[in-house]
Amino acid sequence: MLDRLQALADRYEKLSELLCDPDVANDSKKLRDYSKEQSDLQSAYEAYAEYKNVMEELEAAKMMQGEKLDDEMKEMVKMEIEDLSGRQVELEERIRLLLLPKDPNDDKNVIVEIRGAAGGDEAALFASDLYRMYTRYADTQGWRVEIMDVNTNDLGGFKEVIFLINGRGAYSKMKYESGAHRVQRIPTTESGGRIHTSTSTVAVMPEAEDFEIEIHDKDIRVDTFCSSGAGGQSVNTTKSAVRVTHVPTGIVATCQDGKSQNSNKEKALQVLRARISDLKRQEEEAKYAGERKSKVGTGDRSERIRTYNFPQSRVTDHRIGLTLHRLEQIMNGDITEIISALSIAEQTELMEKGE
């Protein structure tokens, strides 16, 4: 571990030199790449610097312990050694976590797609509940939410909603939400008072930058049409809604939320880039699925990950067996405990694998 840390520290200091180089300062790509690399290394670099300092102090204290000291000084040195030894253990644990492989997408914004699946109108209503849960969670994190596209039903539920969450580290927390979310409750449309089970799917994709996924004009087909709302009625008579098809992959992205055709096209391209990037990521992961599948899931939207049981005020995450009996707070956006538990489970799994 110490060899890895020293190599990391050497690289961090080399990056500091490179970032002061005028040639790098004038090269926007190198400047961006080196700055990001150094930022990713900073926490481990600082922890290692503190660790070296603690070890030096601990060695000095142990040497002092071997000297002739009065009883009061012996007790002080003993206490200092205990404190420093405790700090050593804490830092080693923290460093082990910092050295775990980091998802390169963790700092990115995310594009989230929620769709009503099994359950008709009730599934669409639950999709709108999930959207509300995520937007409230985003507020607690200081993130900004922007709707990219939405398709509602007559009851105000979301057949589909696509939105961007803009905030540093959004993907590192939201990535655990991809999958099928199941709800068990009495629908407002149910006169007999029977509990129904419905599902909505969530897909979380890191936002792809222009330089990461380049889309050529010759590879896309752009269609325009009139925006429509619940029930299919026309919202306006101008063809502001845009559908963009990526011909090589067949991936389609639609946006009709804005009134400007250009704005809708830009948003549709933004979603298209994320979907193409996500497809490439899934293809890469499929090659190693057998050996790298994680207990916290593959990100497959068909995989059932969580159940929300309203009569019992219970939420269960099936991936890690976590059950919480405070459904109201969770639906109001308090999902930090769930996300933290999933993150810890993933870190523990990586440490057990020795990666």
Side-chain angles (χ1 to χ4, degrees), residues 219-249:
D219 290 334
I220 61 172
R221 185 178 68 248
V222 180
D223 300 304
T224 58
F225 55 98
C226 294
S227 300
S228 61
Q233 73 270 25
S234 177
V235 170
N236 57 56
T237 56
T238 60
K239 290 189 175 183
S240 61
V242 174
R243 181 187 301 109
V244 181
T245 303
H246 186 245
V247 178
T249 61

Side-chain angles (χ1 to χ4, degrees), residues 13-29:
E13 289 165 4
K14 179 63 177 177
L15 287 166
S16 295
E17 293 177 16
L18 289 169
L19 289 169
C20 293
D21 188 326
D23 290 337
V24 172
N26 292 324
D27 187 325
S28 59
K29 186 178 186 307

Side-chain angles (χ1 to χ4, degrees), residues 4-16 19 33-49 94-95 98-100 102 107 168:
R4 282 186 66 190
L5 285 168
Q6 188 56 56
L8 178 151
D10 292 343
R11 178 59 180 167
Y12 182 91
E13 289 165 4
K14 179 63 177 177
L15 287 166
S16 295
L19 289 169
D33 291 346
Y34 290 157
S35 296
K36 184 181 186 308
E37 185 183 356
Q38 189 182 57
S39 176
D40 290 342
L41 296 176
Q42 186 170 351
S43 294
Y45 176 80
E46 291 174 350
Y48 180 45
R94 183 182 166 204
I95 288 169
L98 290 170
L99 290 178
L100 290 175
K102 184 181 178 183
D107 289 337
R168 184 172 176 82

Side-chain angles (χ1 to χ4, degrees), residues 271-295:
V271 174
L272 192 68
R273 274 191 291 270
R275 287 178 177 170
I276 294 171
S277 177
D278 190 55
L279 176 64
K280 289 184 176 181
R281 179 186 60 82
Q282 289 185 42
E283 288 173 347
E284 284 297 312
E285 289 183 354
K287 296 177 184 177
Y288 309 102
E291 60 189 73
R292 293 189 60 85
K293 188 171 181 180
S294 166
K295 72 172 72 173

Side-chain angles (χ1 to χ4, degrees), residues 132-148:
R132 177 174 172 271
M133 179 179 80
Y134 292 135
T135 53
R136 293 202 167 189
Y137 174 67
D139 286 342
T140 67
Q141 303 299 305
W143 299 336
R144 182 168 54 84
V145 175
E146 177 187 356
I147 287 186
M148 312 291 282

Side-chain angles (χ1 to χ4, degrees), residues 166-296:
N166 192 316
R168 184 172 176 82
Y171 186 73
S172 68
K173 296 178 180 178
M174 288 295 297
K175 63 184 176 183
Y176 303 110
E177 295 304 296
S178 286
H181 295 242
R182 181 174 68 172
V183 61
Q184 295 172 326
R185 65 184 177 187
I186 301 171
T188 54
T189 55
E190 173 59 46
S191 57
R194 292 178 297 136
I195 295 173
H196 283 223
T197 298
S198 305
T199 57
S200 293
T201 61
V202 176
V204 178
M205 301 171 291
E207 183 185 24
E209 302 287 349
D210 293 2
F211 64 87
E212 294 175 312
I213 299 294
E214 189 175 0
I215 298 176
H216 301 285
D217 289 341
K218 64 181 178 63
D219 290 334
I220 61 172
R221 185 178 68 248
V222 180
D223 300 304
T224 58
F225 55 98
C226 294
S227 300
S228 61
Q233 73 270 25
S234 177
V235 170
N236 57 56
T237 56
T238 60
K239 290 189 175 183
S240 61
V242 174
R243 181 187 301 109
V244 181
T245 303
H246 186 245
V247 178
T249 61
I251 294 175
V252 179
T254 302
C255 184
Q256 58 178 334
D257 190 59
K259 293 182 179 180
S260 160
Q261 189 179 109
N262 286 337
S263 173
N264 283 336
K265 181 181 176 183
E266 285 304 311
K267 288 183 178 180
L269 285 170
Q270 204 173 356
V271 174
L272 192 68
R273 274 191 291 270
R275 287 178 177 170
I276 294 171
S277 177
D278 190 55
L279 176 64
K280 289 184 176 181
R281 179 186 60 82
Q282 289 185 42
E283 288 173 347
E284 284 297 312
E285 289 183 354
K287 296 177 184 177
Y288 309 102
E291 60 189 73
R292 293 189 60 85
K293 188 171 181 180
S294 166
K295 72 172 72 173
V296 299

